[in-house]
Amino acid sequence: MNNKEILSASSAILRKAKQLGADLAGFASMEDLRSAPSFTFAPKMPGVDQGIGSRNSTTGMTSGKVKWPEHGKSILVIAVAHPKESPEMDWWFGRVSPRGNKILMQTIKELCNWIIETFGIEVFHFPYHVEKGGIYLKDAAVKAGLGCIGKNNLLVTPEFGPRIRLRAMSVNMAMPSTGPIAFDPCMTCEGVCRMACPQNAFDKQVYTAESYGQTLLPARDGVYSRPVCNGQMQKNIDFAKQAQPDGDAPPVKIIKYCRRCEMSCPVGK
Ligand code: B12
Ligand code: SF4
Ligand code: SF4
C-alpha cells in the first residue's frame, strides 16, 4: 500500500471500531511502546506477576516482560465507556466476565475478522493478561492519543475521564500514530481521586526515580501502592454478596471491585 492508501485504511479501521462498539480508538507504534514506562518498569517491579490482577505465565517470559507478537507493527487500542450510571458494566457475576469486558472482546474479535477480510493484513488480538501474551494497555492508550495517565494511575480521557476500559490488537502494517495528545487535567486538580481511596493507596512514596532508573512511575510520581490496592480487591471478593443475576439462573456472588479513584474524578461526562 502507498501512503495515501495506508491513511485511508487507518481511517476506515478507526471508523469501523466505533461502528462495532468502541467509544474511542487509536493507533500506536509498536516500536514506540517498547520503551514506554510500564514496559520498562514492570520487569523491575517485585511481585508484578503475583496477586489478584495477574495469572500464571504461559509466555515463557520473565516477570513483567511482554511477549511481542512476531508480526505486528502498529497497535490498535479501543476504549469502552463505563459510565457512573451503569456500574453493572464492571461487575463480575460469579466467574462470568463483566458486560463491559464482553463488549470489548467482541468488538476486537469482529474488527480482527473485518480487517483480515477487507485488507488482508495480519492481526493479533492481545489477551487481557500480560502473563498470557497481553500488553500494558494504559501506556498503549496514551501513545494512541486516547488520554493521559492521571494522578490516580488510570488512563484519563477528555471524553469520559478514567471511566473507560481498554483492549488492544496489533496489525502488521505501520499505521500513522494518533497520539499522544496535549491533555493533562491533573496539573490543575488537587487530586480528589487520591483522597477518595478507602485504603489510602496513594499516601506514601513507594517507588523512586533513583531506585528504578526512570522518572515516570506508578501514578506518575511513584506513590501508588499496588499491594494496598490489591488488598481492597481481595476485600471486594471476600464480601461479595450472593444474588440472582436474572431470570431463573441460580444465585451467584456478584463482585463489585472498588472504583473510587475512578468515580471521584470530575473529568469527562
Ligand atoms: C494487574 C492489574 C491490576 C492490579 C495491579 C494494578 C497496578 N497498576 O499495578 C490490581 C488488581 C491492583 C488492579 C487494580 C485496578 N485496576 Co487494573 N489492571 C491490571 C492490568 C492487568 C495490568 C496493569 C499492570 O500491571 N501495569 C504495570 C504497572 C507496573 O504499571 P502501573 O502501576 O500502571 O504504573 C505505570 C503507569 O502509571 C505508567 N505511567 C506513569 N506516568 C506515565 C506517563 C506516560 C506518558 C505513559 C505512557 C505512562 C505513564 O508508568 C508506570 C510504571 O512506571 C491492566 C490491564 C492491562 N493488560 O494493562 C488492568 C487495568 C490497568 N486495570 C484497570 C482498572 C479499571 C482497575 C481498577 C479501577 C479496578 C477495577 N474496578 O477494575 C483498579 C485501579 C487501580 C489504580 N488506581 O491503578 C483498567 C484501567 C482503565 C483506565 N481507565 O486506566 C485496566 C487497563 C484494565 C481494563 N479492563 O481496561 N489492576
Ligand atoms: S481527580 Fe483530578 S488529579 Fe485525579 S485523575 Fe481526575 S483530574 Fe487528575
Ligand atoms: S481501586 Fe480503590 S483501593 Fe485501589 S487505588 Fe483506587 S480507590 Fe484505592
Side-chain angles (χ1 to χ4, degrees), residues 233-264:
M233 303 294 141
Q234 186 59 54
K235 269 194 179 171
N236 296 142
I237 297 172
D238 295 344
F239 294 105
K241 295 204 175 78
Q242 292 270 0
Q244 189 118 18
D246 45 25
D248 294 330
V252 286
K253 275 199 167 188
I254 302 186
I255 304 166
K256 303 174 185 178
Y257 285 118
C258 178
R259 298 179 67 189
R260 292 238 204 133
C261 51
E262 240 190 296
M263 294 300 199
S264 55

Side-chain angles (χ1 to χ4, degrees), residues 38 90 128 135 137-138 152-153 155 162 166 216 226 258:
S38 289
D90 200 47
Y128 177 80
I135 53 167
L137 290 167
K138 291 181 292 181
N152 54 7
N153 198 30
L155 178 83
L166 302 166
L216 291 172
R226 180 179 177 128
C258 178

Side-chain angles (χ1 to χ4, degrees), residues 138 149-155 194 202 217-220 224:
K138 291 181 292 181
I149 302 295
K151 286 183 188 170
N152 54 7
N153 198 30
L154 295 172
L155 178 83
R194 291 184 174 183
F202 302 97
L217 299 162
R220 297 155 70 125
Y224 167 72

Side-chain angles (χ1 to χ4, degrees), residues 179-237:
I181 51 166
F183 167 73
D184 188 0
C186 306
M187 290 275 273
T188 50
C189 176
E190 57 181 353
V192 284
C193 52
R194 291 184 174 183
M195 293 180 244
C197 177
Q199 300 293 337
N200 301 320
F202 302 97
D203 263 20
K204 290 192 196 85
Q205 191 73 40
V206 190
Y207 313 102
T208 61
E210 295 73 42
S211 316
Y212 284 85
Q214 63 181 75
T215 50
L216 291 172
L217 299 162
R220 297 155 70 125
D221 52 5
V223 300
Y224 167 72
S225 168
R226 180 179 177 128
V228 171
C229 176
N230 228 349
Q232 175 63 44
M233 303 294 141
Q234 186 59 54
K235 269 194 179 171
N236 296 142
I237 297 172

Side-chain angles (χ1 to χ4, degrees), residues 10-26:
S10 152
S11 320
I13 292 170
L14 295 176
R15 242 189 345 264
K16 188 71 182 177
K18 291 192 175 170
Q19 277 169 15
L20 291 173
D23 291 300
L24 304 170

Side-chain angles (χ1 to χ4, degrees), residues 104-106 108-109 112 123-127 133 167-170:
L104 285 157
M105 286 196 293
Q106 189 61 24
I108 291 279
K109 200 174 147 202
C112 281
V123 298
F124 178 70
H125 182 166
F126 286 109
R167 194 95 188 181
M169 62 183 284
S170 68

